Amino acid sequence: MMMYSPVVIVGAGPAGLMLGCELALAGVTATILERRPAPRTDSPGAAVNAGAVEALELRGLMDRLRHLTFPLPMIHFSLLFLEMEKVDERAKGTLLLQQTQLERVLEERATELGVKILRDHEVTRIDQDDDGVTALVRTPGGIERIECGYLVGADGADGAVRRLAGIPLTGAEIAFYGITGDLEISMEELGPLPLGAAYYPAGGQWMCAPIGPDVMRVTTAEFDIEPADPTADVTVEEFRMAVRRLTGAELTAGKPRWLSRTDCRIAQAEAYRRGRVLLAGDAACVIYPVNGQALANALHDALNLGWKLAAQVQGWAPPGLLDSYHDERHAVGRRACDNVRAQVTLSRGHEEVGAVRDLLGQLMRFDEVNRYLAGMLSGVDTAYEPSGAGPAERHPLTGTRPSPDLWVASDDGDSPAAGAAESLRQGRGVVLYLDGDPDRPGPAAAWSSRVDQVRVSRVPGVDADVVLLRPDGHVAWACRGDGAGLNEALSTWFGAPSTEKSGAS
Ligand SMILES: Cc1cc2nc3c(=O)[nH]c(=O)nc-3n(C[C@H](O)[C@H](O)[C@H](O)COP(=O)(O)OP(=O)(O)OC[C@H]3O[C@@H](n4cnc5c(N)ncnc54)[C@H](O)[C@@H]3O)c2cc1C
């Protein structure tokens, strides 16, 4: 039996589900193939940083998730804690959120948008040529052939797509002994073990955070040693020994809901695109999970890729648009790999790294250092290198992602840019005219199939008269003055003028 889909996404994790939603918003109905027969019940991810929250906020998904979250008002660099009173409000938004809940909400949204999710479907082989990609898929009914225009590997760190597409992964696997799990244990039963996170001078980290009534997410991370058999299931006794080795204290209570080994990999695909095959999420960039950066990467990969791939499928993508996915997201992934590698290095034994930790701790008292690290670790300072107009013409906002709070209507509906928030929820581009002249005709009307026009008198913190926002919330172009150059910017990012809406394909 043979099936066709314009886009096949391999993997129904956060990256794949979010990408399915993004493509659907842009008018392309994708098919997601997932090898698991049912949604996962263990929840590796437990925290999302402010950047991930902003991605969800942009599409209105936090409305469905907020009641499932707890604030986690701390940011650290290798467990050296930032001074939160010096951190910008925007970067403080780290939340405890179970990855299973996130996936449930993303799947619910994807289903509403008509995304086809086929479980118990494992991709085992792909072949591509100039016209499309063919995937061989193991299903309960036998091997099926599925053809598509483009295939996206959102199949996780060990996913097959990257390997099958011949894209090398470069990076490091660090000698490491890590265990993570959820324990049914009360605060009192923790005894001397600290709630929160701690660095141990022998070279390791302990983390313990409540994720529900009398349920704690606990993690032991020891560097430069390895388990005798990394493939064996973790036993309670082994976990207790790890806790004792790391902290010197005994874990005497607590029934595990699940326990799992973790590894310490920091690696990145050399290319996020090869022909008609693309990579997103952990399949593109694997980082040891600290500061919620991994899930943020997965969600923003999807936001960046969705509208560009839809443009390609619908035939209106301007030259270079799809390739800008690699250029922009590979750079962000590399930055995450670099900061995680630095954090891992600083987690080694005190004898080796203590002096550097002490020095960094002193530097972190400076406001600028605090602010810089908070922006990077929370992901709110992500700015894409601008393409198109030369440096002299670039407005400082170009490439940045202003806080969606600027666009999201406040509860009493008086946000000046509420119209922009609604357009972004629908995954559309927006031209914001901030010149206060309600009657001046906007040239963006010629692109009305892809871009909405919003007139506002002023948005606090936005020092520009005209701003072109991409569907992923990043500023494509901005200017002071009468908007000369807007048409060129619209063509660069949104192709030829078009007033006809693209239907779902
Ligand atoms: C112990 C642990 C704790 C973590 N904690 C955090 C945290 O607190 N915060 C954070 O931001 N990140 C955390 N992470 C990282 C986070 O879980 C990942 O970044 C996230 O899951 C990546 O999402 P993804 O969609 O790219 O990949 P995945 O979630 O791995 O999803 C990939 C999907 O593809 C499917 N698949 C694989 N191969 C195939 C195939 N051949 N055919 C079909 N389907 C296939 C898989 O079954 C899976 O469902 C943690 C990770 C671990 C291991």
Side-chain angles (χ1 to χ4, degrees), residues 9-18 32-38 40 43-49 52 95-97 99 103 118-125 136-138 153-161 163-164 179-181 217 219 258 260-263 280-299 301:
I9 300 167
V10 185
L17 290 167
M18 187 77 176
I32 301 181
L33 306 177
E34 167 56 53
R35 73 175 167 201
R36 287 177 206 269
R40 66 188 307 161
S43 191
V48 284
N49 68 11
L95 297 175
L96 289 173
L97 169 65
Q99 186 169 332
E103 290 181 15
L118 301 177
R119 293 195 169 273
D120 226 340
H121 279 57
E122 180 179 10
V123 171
T124 56
R125 180 182 167 144
L136 288 191
V137 187
R138 193 178 293 132
D155 48 348
D158 298 311
V161 171
R163 178 174 43 80
L164 293 170
I179 301 176
T180 290
R217 164 61 55 92
T219 298
W258 63 273
S260 162
R261 288 185 200 288
T262 52
D263 53 22
D282 276 13
C285 180
V286 195
I287 48 176
Y288 174 65
V290 275
N291 321 103
Q293 294 182 92
L295 280 169
N297 270 351
L299 297 176
D301 280 356

Side-chain angles (χ1 to χ4, degrees), residues 70 117 152 194 243 293 367 392 440 443 452 497 503:
F70 297 91
I117 302 172
V152 183
V243 173
Q293 294 182 92
D367 293 5
R440 195 157 64 82
D452 293 334

Side-chain angles (χ1 to χ4, degrees), residues 50-63:
V53 174
E54 288 190 353
L56 297 162
E57 194 83 76
L58 196 72
R59 296 294 187 251
L61 292 166
M62 278 313 290
D63 297 351

